[in-house]
Amino acid sequence: MGRVAPPARSADRVVVIVAFDQVQLLDVSGPLEVFTTANRYGARYDVRVVSPTGLDALTSCGLRIGADAPVERLPRRVDTLLVPGRRDWREAAADDALVALVGGLAARARRVTSVCAGAFLLARTGVLDGRRVTTHWELAPQLAAAHPELRVDPDPVFVRDGRVVTSAGVTAGIDLALALVEEDYGADVAREAARQLVVFMARPGGQSQFSIRMTPRPPQHPLVRRAMDEITTDPAVPRGVDALAAGLGVSTRHLARLFRQETGMTLGRYADAVRVEAAQVLLSSGTASVEEVAQEAGFGSSETMRRVFQQTFGVSPTVYRARFRTTSAPATAVTALPLPGAG
């Protein structure tokens, strides 16, 4: 499916988006919609989609997207390079032609950006060396392991380090693009684009809203696995370290030391993470009251749960439910949300 590029104007900011086989469609289309929508409100973006071959790219969902023109027809200098990702980032990073294209374009760009696993491609070019970066929360450990020269932060929706901006997974490309529009043309233009697209001008919170940040390392010791099973079987049952240790027939000190050694966290922190996860599921898919959820998840009171949610996600349980429950949620829960761009 080809795309008709608008005629170039001398004052335009040329944005180049790289497309390649198995790229995630929304990594490309989300930012593209933001830039082109911003043009309706005073921005002057000239968005070009290019591919290593100059031919169509088959996206991960099976839809083909067309390249606007060969890379050779791009201006010598471009304003912004945007590099999307694909689920199998190893395949993309192993494509020398793709890496060479990205590296060459990065050298010509005033500003270099990535969405989701696109960070792996930029890392291959050396553009990210020594920088603080982010990617999809699930891929962050892999990025850090594959590229120890980077400072990977798994929580932010996007991270700016000098002329490089990297963003989290998939829809975070929209957040990234809106931030770039605001930087280029001001908050009013970005806000109008956000309102038109019915998205937040600035997404509340970080990636921790969508993932369990405290997922521990897989334990090997059977005592630690049994302790974790005890906690996860029923988060509502109070289980202190002393009670757990007694039930397992070991000393409190030994169990605490072993648990931290195996998982990298304390028993208390793990128990809190389990309770938070249980509460997230109950809030987003159930109809129980906030107080009932607090009891069932093991917090003891709604006030305790509210304090933990505020510290972890930056929102209350009630707001979390309104934002993250299923599409069958009552209309009142949706209308309680702030309008995109509202303070």
Side-chain angles (χ1 to χ4, degrees), residues 124-137:
R124 275 288 315 277
T125 70
V127 171
L128 302 185
D129 286 3
R131 296 185 186 274
R132 177 172 172 256
V133 301
T134 195
T135 187
H136 190 289
W137 63 268

Side-chain angles (χ1 to χ4, degrees), residues 5 15 23 39 47 54-56 63 65 73 90 111 126 147 154 197 205 230 238-239 269 282-283 285 306 322:
V15 177
V23 70
N39 283 346
V47 185
L55 304 175
D56 291 358
L63 184 68
I65 52 178
R73 291 178 55 184
R90 290 177 179 83
R111 181 170 58 193
H147 295 280
L197 295 172
E230 286 287 321
R239 292 182 176 89
R269 190 178 180 194
L282 292 168
L283 287 168
S285 61
R306 186 199 66 78

Side-chain angles (χ1 to χ4, degrees), residues 71-133:
V71 175
E72 294 75 19
R73 291 178 55 184
L74 291 174
R76 187 178 64 83
R77 294 289 296 172
V78 299
D79 184 77
T80 302
L81 170 67
L82 188 143
V83 182
R86 60 175 284 179
R87 292 190 180 95
D88 186 352
W89 61 264
R90 290 177 179 83
E91 285 290 327
D95 186 334
D96 291 337
L98 177 57
V99 172
L101 172 64
V102 170
L105 290 171
R108 297 162 59 178
R110 177 184 69 86
R111 181 170 58 193
V112 178
T113 70
S114 67
V115 181
C116 197
F120 288 90
L121 277 170
L122 283 183
R124 275 288 315 277
T125 70
V127 171
L128 302 185
D129 286 3
R131 296 185 186 274
R132 177 172 172 256
V133 301

Side-chain angles (χ1 to χ4, degrees), residues 196-241:
Q196 181 64 35
L197 295 172
V198 197
V199 296
F200 284 106
M201 171 75 163
R203 184 194 305 247
Q207 293 193 71
S208 55
Q209 297 173 101
F210 308 97
S211 62
I212 305 169
R213 294 188 61 204
M214 296 184 291
T215 300
R217 298 190 297 266
Q220 302 299 316
H221 200 287
L223 278 177
V224 175
R225 290 200 297 269
R226 286 171 59 190
M228 294 173 75
D229 289 343
E230 286 287 321
I231 293 169
T232 55
T233 297
D234 188 354
V237 176
R239 292 182 176 89
V241 181

Side-chain angles (χ1 to χ4, degrees), residues 129-207:
D129 286 3
R131 296 185 186 274
R132 177 172 172 256
V133 301
T134 195
T135 187
H136 190 289
W137 63 268
E138 193 172 30
L139 299 177
Q142 299 174 44
L143 181 61
H147 295 280
E149 70 277 11
L150 312 183
R151 292 177 288 129
V152 181
D153 189 340
D155 189 52
V157 174
F158 60 86
V159 168
R160 185 189 308 273
D161 189 332
R163 74 183 187 103
V164 176
V165 192
T166 53
S167 78
V170 199
T171 59
I174 295 173
D175 301 73
L176 167 68
L178 284 169
L180 299 182
V181 171
E182 181 175 11
E183 177 182 306
D184 295 340
Y185 294 102
D188 289 344
V189 174
R191 185 175 296 109
E192 289 302 321
R195 288 183 185 277
Q196 181 64 35
L197 295 172
V198 197
V199 296
F200 284 106
M201 171 75 163
R203 184 194 305 247
Q207 293 193 71

